Amino acid sequence: MKDNRGVYIALTIIALWFISLTLLLTQYEVDFYSPLTYLLVLVQAHLYTGIFITAHDAMHSVVSPNRLVNEWIGRVCATIFAFNFYDNLNRKHHLHHRFVGTERDPDYHGGNFWVWYFNFAKQYINVWQIIFMAITYNVLKAFFPNTNVILFWMLPSIIATFQLFYFGTYLPHKGEHEPDNVHKSRSQAKNHVWAFLTCYFFGYHYEHHNSPRTPWWQLYKEKERMIEKVG
């Protein structure tokens, strides 16, 4: 990127996540009979997904043209998302792009959904994350209602993990691909609203592998360009 639009978008997602979480921990009285409670959990999960997608864009150096700003935002977002280590994510994600769909791809596994998810999680979860999450949980519940902490801090991050895996890894890469599919990736049908709601346009996954330096908020244009090219 040659301008700072990516920075503004990243900071907006971070701010929305932080403001939402703060209000949900301090102001919202949980009512399990209210559909609003479950909707708010899903909204918070969607913001968590946006946090991770922002860290992902930083790995491709498309959040900011300034390298230090780009990396700083990437590290902050990776930390917010369950204390992931940015350097580990960055190294393995580039291996995924380089060796996509092979035994050297850390994101790929040929098993069913649950076997694949378990192996995927093993690549990124470590004991330090679990320790930091446990400490943070105990600190938060000392100041805020425990139910709110579980529903709006813990559960959304778990939902977002499944959301990212299912729409951004499993569906695009599972099964066999045509021999001429150099990216070993498939893509959602064109539906920009659904693509945004499910995984910030990363269901347009072939497009991402074909143009990895296109930020998430421009992937819909890459989808349209590819359709026009084929048509």
Side-chain angles (χ1 to χ4, degrees):
M1 297 301 297
K2 297 180 181 181
D3 56 46
N4 286 310
R5 284 177 295 169
V7 175
Y8 303 142
I9 292 170
L11 294 179
T12 298
I13 292 173
I14 294 170
L16 287 173
W17 172 85
F18 180 77
I19 293 169
S20 175
L21 179 61
T22 300
L23 292 175
L24 290 170
L25 291 180
T26 61
Q27 305 296 321
Y28 187 73
E29 184 175 345
V30 173
D31 177 3
F32 287 107
Y33 293 100
S34 171
L36 180 61
T37 295
Y38 304 99
L39 176 61
L40 291 172
V41 170
L42 293 178
V43 169
Q44 195 66 10
H46 188 64
L47 291 172
Y48 261 110
T49 300
I51 291 289
F52 188 88
I53 292 296
T54 302
H56 166 273
D57 268 11
M59 297 173 211
H60 288 289
S61 302
V62 296
V63 172
S64 171
N66 183 297
R67 182 181 63 82
L68 292 178
V69 173
N70 183 86
E71 186 172 290
W72 180 83
I73 290 176
R75 291 184 184 279
V76 168
C77 288
T79 302
I80 288 173
F81 196 95
F83 295 100
N84 277 279
F85 294 109
Y86 179 78
D87 291 333
N88 182 51
L89 291 175
N90 192 25
R91 179 178 61 85
K92 291 191 174 182
H93 185 66
H94 285 285
L95 286 175
H96 165 64
H97 274 267
R98 185 177 180 184
F99 302 111
V100 60
T102 71
E103 61 181 15
R104 300 179 69 181
D105 178 358
D107 292 0
Y108 180 76
H109 193 275
N112 62 37
F113 175 87
W114 291 108
V115 172
W116 190 337
Y117 178 79
F118 178 73
N119 281 272
F120 178 83
K122 283 198 306 181
Q123 293 288 333
Y124 297 101
I125 297 175
N126 60 67
V127 66
W128 287 109
Q129 285 177 265
I130 297 172
I131 291 172
F132 292 149
M133 288 290 285
I135 292 172
T136 304
Y137 168 70
N138 281 282
V139 170
L140 288 175
K141 76 173 187 175
F143 293 95
F144 308 111
N146 188 43
T147 301
N148 293 56
V149 173
I150 293 173
L151 282 180
F152 302 122
W153 176 72
M154 184 181 295
L155 182 59
S157 66
I158 296 171
I159 294 173
T161 301
F162 279 102
Q163 185 175 350
L164 287 159
F165 173 73
Y166 184 73
F167 291 104
T169 298
Y170 179 72
L171 284 183
H173 295 297
K174 72 181 181 72
E176 298 295 325
H177 300 277
E178 295 296 328
D180 60 346
N181 186 337
V182 294
H183 303 303
K184 297 180 181 177
S185 309
R186 59 181 56 84
S187 189
Q188 288 180 358
K190 178 183 173 183
N191 185 326
H192 296 333
V193 173
W194 179 243
F196 171 72
L197 291 176
T198 52
C199 201
Y200 289 74
F201 300 120
F202 269 85
Y204 297 157
H205 208 74
Y206 184 93
E207 289 75 13
H208 167 58
H209 277 265
N210 195 58
S211 181
R213 290 187 62 82
T214 298
W216 73 261
W217 44 276
Q218 293 286 310
L219 270 178
Y220 75 96
K221 292 182 179 179
E222 185 66 13
K223 177 69 172 180
E224 293 175 349
R225 187 188 72 80
M226 293 291 291
I227 291 173
E228 290 177 0
K229 181 180 178 180
V230 173

